[in-house]
């Protein structure tokens, strides 16, 4: 998957934790946004996604990082980003258009 924010085209790649730790960073995270390469890595859990919304939440979290980089903001507050990702997901799940709930996922 890819998208454009500002002048940059961002790519989302799903990778295994082993690949991520060998090639990107040794941390044990669910996702990572690399400003230098405009790549978002989504780490696939070894046992698969327990809830499809979890993967969506991780993507939203990382996309918010990309948005901040697009604005030139490089000092990111993880608590704020995580809160915004949760609210984005809640918005999509509860939005009503013309008195009809919008179907998301």
């Amino acid at each position: 998957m890819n998208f454009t924010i500002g002048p940059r085209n961002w790519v989302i790649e799903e990778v295994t934790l082993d690949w991520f730790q060998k090639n990107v960073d040794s941390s044990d995270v669910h996702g990572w946004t690399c400003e230098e390469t405009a790549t978002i890595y989504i780490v696939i859990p070894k046992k698969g996604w327990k809830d499809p919304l979890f993967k969506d939440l991780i993507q939203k979290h990382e996309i918010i990082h990309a948005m901040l980089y697009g604005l030139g903001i490089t000092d990111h507050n993880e608590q704020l980003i995580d809160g915004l990702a949760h609210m984005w997901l809640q918005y999509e799940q509860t939005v009503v258009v013309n008195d009809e709930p919008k179907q998301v996922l």
Side-chain angles (χ1 to χ4, degrees):
M1 174 192 321
N2 63 55
F3 58 93
T4 301
I5 289 184
R8 300 188 74 186
N9 186 50
W10 288 81
V11 175
I12 297 179
E13 293 185 17
E14 292 186 12
V15 298
T16 65
L17 179 60
D18 291 337
W19 184 94
F20 178 81
Q21 290 178 335
K22 288 177 187 172
N23 296 286
V24 180
D25 187 84
S26 61
S27 62
D28 187 14
V29 296
H30 299 296
W32 181 277
T33 302
C34 180
E35 179 187 16
E36 292 177 15
T37 63
T39 304
I40 292 175
Y41 298 99
I42 304 298
V43 179
I44 303 167
K46 291 184 179 183
K47 294 187 178 186
W49 302 104
K50 294 178 181 151
D51 182 341
L53 292 177
F54 183 65
K55 178 180 176 184
D56 191 32
L57 181 63
I58 293 167
Q59 286 181 342
K60 284 173 173 36
H61 178 105
E62 299 306 326
I63 290 168
I64 292 169
H65 278 293
M67 290 175 180
L68 292 174
Y69 286 130
L71 292 170
I73 300 168
T74 58
D75 186 18
H76 298 182
N77 177 314
E78 286 298 316
Q79 184 178 3
L80 175 63
I81 290 170
D82 207 44
L84 289 170
H86 278 87
M87 289 181 179
W88 183 4
L89 186 62
Q90 181 183 19
Y91 162 79
E92 285 186 343
Q93 291 178 317
T94 62
V95 66
V96 175
V97 179
N98 298 327
D99 297 325
E100 294 289 328
K102 182 179 177 198
Q103 297 296 322
V104 179
L105 289 181

